[in-house]
Amino acid sequence: MDLKLSDNNINENYPGFNEIWNHRPELQNWSSSSWWFFLLLPKQKTGYGPKQMMFTYASRVGKEISVNKVWQKGMHLNRKREPDEFMTTVVGWINDGQHVHEEIVHQPSLARLSQNQWLEAWDEEEKYGASIHASKEKELEINAKFEGKEGYARFKIWTDPKSEFSQPQITDIRAVDNKLGGTHLVAWRRINFSGEFKHPCGTEQLEGIGYFQRVCMNVPMFPWKWLWVAFEDGNVFSMFIPYFGSHIFRRNDNFYNPILERTKFNLMPTSYFYDYTNEKEYVFSKIDILPIGKNGKIDRYKPQFTVYAENDKGDYIKFIINAHGHAQFLLNRRVIKRLWETKFNYNEFMVKVEKLQGKLGDLQLPYKNMGEGWGNLEYTWGLSI
């Protein structure tokens, strides 16, 4: 693949954007994993659903790792740095509104990442894989291409440089000696996108809004819940909840019974609602996402969840989300000379908001022009060490 390097960095005023092209190998250790993750919700008749798409680069340190039982080598800690070369798996799915097409692309390959603002990962024939490049003409814009056996995605993402909320933001958490452990995250919390998407049922030209992040986790992957919802008027709501419980030992696909599923300890949960029209952000400190069971069971593929968030100012939001689609990545790692495998179950539920209630300042939810809410819930369990 012929890679053209940029002679200058037109985004030098946006440090978060620059960090997309560097996953901090100097901080990585035996437990590290890196992800470049696109979640895209096209504009539709009733807001931003039910169609949606996800594409990602998934990388993990280790001699032998697998994504959905396809085994490959993992990242090496001692490796070439510019461009940074490491093993990855390019994966992605498309929900066309009727069906979830998993593994539109699933390609293990060698990735090359340059601080000249590009990331490439293709098979030896340069047929399947992905590339993302910073635009040379516009600030805060990326051109992306994901190609697989079942379809493709060719799109661009961008945002208004004047919107502080919509600029890529850095979170740097160091656990030990201000270096080891923790997480280094670039979150682009609200993006615009447009492009062409092909799946087994057809080809579509789509545009809408979404979320992007580049994250490097330098700790073992343990369970979390992450929700991102877009409302018809362009507002977004999100929460992230790392948690501990017996879920960390679960190695199969099924939910526990509702009581055991709700029994856990949340670790540093965060949440926000962004009023896009008025450019105002509300932050919540008391939050949770809890599964709803019927007759002592939780639907494996189309579960329901209650969501609530509140803060000390009296702002709150609560609703139910109903899953209408499901995609899954099983992430395994062989340890102790193949005598044992760690297992991490990464579920993504495409969801719709129901029974919304809330109050943000003097504003009662739902208000007249808010419209329907659609989004994505990550609900993970297991442990990858």
Side-chain angles (χ1 to χ4, degrees):
M1 183 67 63
D2 182 21
L3 303 177
K4 296 181 180 180
L5 304 185
S6 174
D7 293 328
N8 61 336
N9 181 357
I10 64 173
N11 298 295
E12 59 186 4
N13 295 322
Y14 304 101
F17 189 88
N18 293 334
E19 282 296 315
I20 291 172
W21 318 100
N22 180 4
H23 61 151
R24 294 294 172 179
E26 71 276 10
L27 300 179
Q28 293 174 12
N29 57 46
W30 62 270
S31 67
S32 296
S33 58
S34 295
W35 306 75
W36 286 258
F37 172 90
F38 298 85
L39 175 66
L40 308 175
L41 276 63
K43 182 67 174 178
Q44 294 153 72
K45 291 182 179 179
T46 57
Y48 295 94
K51 296 178 182 179
Q52 63 177 266
M53 300 83 76
M54 190 287 301
F55 293 91
T56 188
Y57 295 79
S59 309
R60 176 76 161 85
V61 171
K63 292 184 177 180
E64 292 182 283
I65 62 172
S66 75
V67 178
N68 287 351
K69 300 180 180 180
V70 177
W71 289 93
Q72 67 176 80
K73 294 180 180 179
M75 293 193 296
H76 290 288
L77 293 176
N78 297 319
R79 59 183 191 264
K80 185 178 178 181
R81 294 294 180 89
E82 182 52 42
D84 188 354
E85 295 187 350
F86 56 93
M87 290 300 299
T88 193
T89 304
V90 178
V91 290
W93 52 258
I94 295 177
N95 181 342
D96 66 6
Q98 298 293 326
H99 304 95
V100 179
H101 305 283
E102 296 194 67
E103 298 199 344
I104 291 294
V105 55
H106 184 156
Q107 184 60 53
S109 55
L110 178 67
R112 301 178 69 208
L113 172 67
S114 174
Q115 293 185 44
N116 282 314
Q117 303 190 330
W118 50 260
L119 170 60
E120 297 268 358
W122 297 93
D123 65 4
E124 292 182 357
E125 297 178 354
E126 299 183 358
K127 186 176 181 180
Y128 300 129
S131 65
I132 60 175
H133 289 250
S135 170
K136 295 182 180 180
E137 290 77 33
K138 296 183 179 180
E139 296 179 316
L140 301 185
E141 182 175 288
I142 290 176
N143 297 307
K145 180 168 64 174
F146 288 77
E147 302 276 351
K149 295 180 180 180
E150 299 297 322
Y152 60 73
R154 301 165 184 169
F155 59 92
K156 63 179 179 179
I157 67 170
W158 73 94
T159 194
D160 182 358
K162 297 179 182 178
S163 171
E164 183 177 350
F165 176 89
S166 298
Q167 293 180 16
Q169 299 179 3
I170 301 171
T171 299
D172 188 359
I173 301 173
R174 309 284 180 91
V176 179
D177 295 331
N178 200 36
K179 178 179 179 181
L180 299 177
T183 298
H184 196 279
L185 168 70
V186 178
W188 206 341
R189 298 187 291 174
R190 188 187 186 282
I191 58 173
N192 303 299
F193 83 90
S194 66
E196 182 173 278
F197 301 85
K198 182 179 180 181
H199 50 76
C201 293
T203 303
E204 299 182 89
Q205 299 287 334
L206 300 169
E207 60 181 27
I209 62 177
Y211 175 93
F212 170 82
Q213 72 177 21
R214 190 283 288 144
V215 58
C216 181
M217 296 179 60
N218 299 314
V219 293
M221 295 176 66
F222 59 91
W224 71 75
K225 305 173 192 177
W226 176 75
L227 174 67
W228 192 87
V229 169
F231 290 93
E232 195 167 349
D233 62 355
N235 295 345
V236 298
F237 172 81
S238 183
M239 62 170 55
F240 178 62
I241 306 174
Y243 69 96
F244 285 99
S246 58
H247 315 71
I248 204 167
F249 302 109
R250 182 164 50 192
R251 296 172 66 86
N252 59 26
D253 288 349
N254 296 323
F255 287 95
Y256 290 140
N257 66 63
I259 295 177
L260 189 57
E261 197 70 40
R262 289 166 169 250
T263 304
K264 41 59 177 188
F265 171 75
N266 294 339
L267 176 65
M268 298 176 63
T270 60
S271 178
Y272 61 84
F273 181 96
Y274 178 58
D275 182 343
Y276 176 69
T277 303
N278 299 306
E279 296 188 356
K280 188 172 183 179
E281 181 180 2
Y282 299 85
V283 178
F284 306 97
S285 54
K286 301 176 183 178
I287 67 175
D288 216 339
I289 303 173
L290 299 171
I292 301 173
K294 293 182 179 180
N295 300 319
K297 295 183 178 180
I298 299 170
D299 190 321
R300 176 179 170 184
Y301 298 106
K302 294 186 178 181
Q304 289 184 311
F305 300 85
T306 59
V307 179
Y308 75 88
E310 60 180 312
N311 60 30
D312 295 336
K313 297 179 180 179
D315 303 314
Y316 76 95
I317 183 170
K318 61 181 181 180
F319 51 85
I320 291 174
I321 49 175
N322 294 321
H324 59 87
H326 172 253
Q328 180 186 63
F329 298 109
L330 302 175
L331 308 175
N332 293 5
R333 182 172 186 251
R334 287 174 175 156
V335 295
I336 317 177
K337 297 183 178 181
R338 296 191 177 187
L339 295 178
W340 187 56
E341 294 178 15
T342 66
K343 294 181 179 291
F344 191 80
N345 196 313
Y346 182 103
N347 294 287
E348 293 180 287
F349 296 103
M350 293 126 255
V351 298
K352 182 181 181 181
V353 173
E354 305 283 356
K355 300 182 180 180
L356 174 66
Q357 301 177 52
K359 184 178 74 71
L360 302 176
D362 296 328
L363 186 63
Q364 294 292 326
L365 304 182
Y367 50 82
K368 183 178 179 180
N369 299 320
M370 193 171 188
E372 292 189 348
W374 301 83
N376 185 282
L377 170 66
E378 293 181 356
Y379 195 114
T380 73
W381 55 71
L383 179 67
S384 179
I385 60 175

